[in-house]
Amino acid sequence: MAPMRIALPKGRMMDQALELWDRIGSGIAPEQANTRRLILPSRDGRFEFLPVKPSDVPTYVEAGVADAGVVGLDVLLERRADVLQPLDLGFGACRMAVAAPEGQPYPDLPGAVTPRVATKYVESARRFFAERGAQVEIIRIAGSVELAPLLGLSHWIVDLVETGRTLKENGLVVVDTVFASSARLIVNRARHKLRLDDHQRLLAELEAALAAPALTTSSARS
Ligand code: PRP
């Protein structure tokens, strides 16, 4: 049987995903970890991991060239991919928030000015304000969004907040929460039907690994 292909988002979330697969006995061999190879076999041959840009994970899975993938809910909601989403993997927790310079009014600006909102997450921001019936002008920014309100390009931002450090160091505060995000397992609909047994086995294994208590320093010592 051909290995199941799993698209993984390069970066910290990929390391956490590989740790999870390690716990089900299907991690990658250590010598594979630092290669530039684009298809990494699991040591038991059951899986092939594809390290890709986070925003490309839904593309590979939706097209069915990967059976499944791991991606943050933030990316998934932005892409609106038609994939199954069977499991919250728990790691990569952060929240999508509206933030503003301290003292900046929210949700209304004086003089009925239309608020300008800078963000990388245009779709999520548009939906959030539309659901509230709030008129805003969305400004698409590719990175370091926190700069926009400091320079007067925007009044507010919509961005991910993890530790809150970036906001704090730039004098910004959270004024609203858009949604809580974390890593999700996503699965191609057709591949799921085609390889139902393999998919169900993987889901059960991941669920069990997530439910098992994580190794703590004390239990590792004893
Ligand atoms: C993300 C996010 C914030 C920061 C939040 O940026 O867009 O800028 O992390 O993390 P914190 O709350 O722990 O400070 P990323 O590192 O992806 O860089 P980018 O904005 O340039 O894309």
Side-chain angles (χ1 to χ4, degrees), residues 120-121 142-146 159-167:
K120 284 183 280 189
Y121 299 90
S144 302
V145 175
E146 293 84 357
D159 201 16
L160 283 181
V161 181
E162 194 181 347
T163 61
R165 189 173 159 199
T166 312
L167 291 184

Side-chain angles (χ1 to χ4, degrees), residues 5-185:
R5 289 213 162 118
I6 313 290
L8 295 181
K10 278 192 269 187
R12 200 171 126 71
M13 205 179 268
M14 172 156 154
D15 296 339
Q16 289 170 301
L18 285 174
E19 266 170 42
L20 181 61
W21 258 266
D22 221 18
R23 288 168 70 182
I24 65 168
S26 298
I28 56 172
E31 63 270 20
Q32 298 276 3
N34 294 314
T35 66
R36 305 283 293 172
R37 288 183 61 183
L38 297 175
I39 300 181
L40 305 173
S42 69
R43 67 181 100 203
D44 60 1
R46 280 179 65 201
F47 301 97
E48 282 178 346
F49 300 104
L50 316 172
V52 298
K53 270 200 156 203
S55 56
D56 289 340
V57 170
T59 309
Y60 283 90
V61 176
E62 192 173 27
V65 295
D67 286 89
V70 172
V71 70
L73 183 63
D74 54 318
V75 172
L76 197 55
L77 292 180
E78 193 63 18
R79 277 280 281 96
R80 289 175 175 254
D82 182 22
V83 291
L84 300 172
Q85 197 191 304
L87 211 52
D88 183 344
L89 301 174
F91 53 79
C94 54
R95 65 175 160 154
M96 187 69 74
V98 186
E102 225 167 337
Q104 176 80 265
Y106 180 89
D108 297 306
L109 295 177
V113 169
T114 301
R116 295 190 304 276
V117 183
T119 189
K120 284 183 280 189
Y121 299 90
V122 169
E123 281 308 314
S124 295
R126 213 191 294 286
R127 273 201 302 276
F128 176 77
F129 289 106
E131 277 164 15
R132 277 154 188 75
Q135 281 272 351
V136 299
E137 182 192 335
I138 307 276
I139 300 171
R140 184 189 295 271
I141 295 285
S144 302
V145 175
E146 293 84 357
L147 191 58
L150 302 185
L151 302 180
L153 177 64
S154 75
H155 298 95
W156 310 326
I157 62 171
V158 166
D159 201 16
L160 283 181
V161 181
E162 194 181 347
T163 61
R165 189 173 159 199
T166 312
L167 291 184
K168 195 161 181 231
E169 291 191 359
N170 291 291
L172 304 172
V173 289
V174 169
V175 292
D176 218 337
T177 296
V178 180
F179 56 82
S181 183
S182 57
R184 304 298 159 105
L185 182 75

